[in-house]
Amino acid sequence: MSLISTREAGERLGVSDARIRGLILAGELKATKIGKVWIIDTKDLAALRRRKPGRPRKDRSDDV
């Protein structure tokens, strides 16, 4: 088990640590809070990395 901080997770994914904290609070990334610090298991970070980037496409079938 390898644990990393939100800052290191952000560096690995190319996003800010604030974005990582947002993903944690949204329930999209598992993490454990110890005091004021979020700790992330690298296995959980790898699962997030497999996810498609960006916002899901809007269904435009109703726009016709």
Side-chain angles (χ1 to χ4, degrees), residues 4 7 9 12-13 16-18 25 29 31-33 37 40 43 47 50-51 55 59 62:
I4 59 174
R7 185 171 56 110
R12 290 185 183 195
L13 294 179
S16 68
D17 59 332
L25 295 176
L29 177 60
T32 302
K33 194 168 188 179
V37 179
I40 303 159
K43 289 184 289 186
R50 287 190 292 268
R51 167 187 113 152
R55 186 180 307 159
D59 180 22
D62 297 335

Side-chain angles (χ1 to χ4, degrees), residues 1-63:
M1 177 198 285
S2 180
L3 302 174
I4 59 174
S5 67
T6 56
R7 185 171 56 110
E8 188 174 343
E11 289 172 0
R12 290 185 183 195
L13 294 179
V15 297
S16 68
D17 59 332
R19 176 67 178 137
I20 296 295
R21 287 191 305 273
L23 291 169
I24 293 168
L25 295 176
E28 296 181 36
L29 177 60
K30 286 181 170 181
T32 302
K33 194 168 188 179
I34 300 176
K36 294 182 178 183
V37 179
W38 286 102
I39 301 297
I40 303 159
D41 190 340
T42 53
K43 289 184 289 186
D44 295 325
L45 190 65
L48 182 68
R49 187 177 289 160
R50 287 190 292 268
R51 167 187 113 152
K52 291 183 180 180
R55 186 180 307 159
R57 293 185 64 100
K58 181 179 176 184
D59 180 22
R60 298 193 182 266
S61 61
D62 297 335
D63 293 344

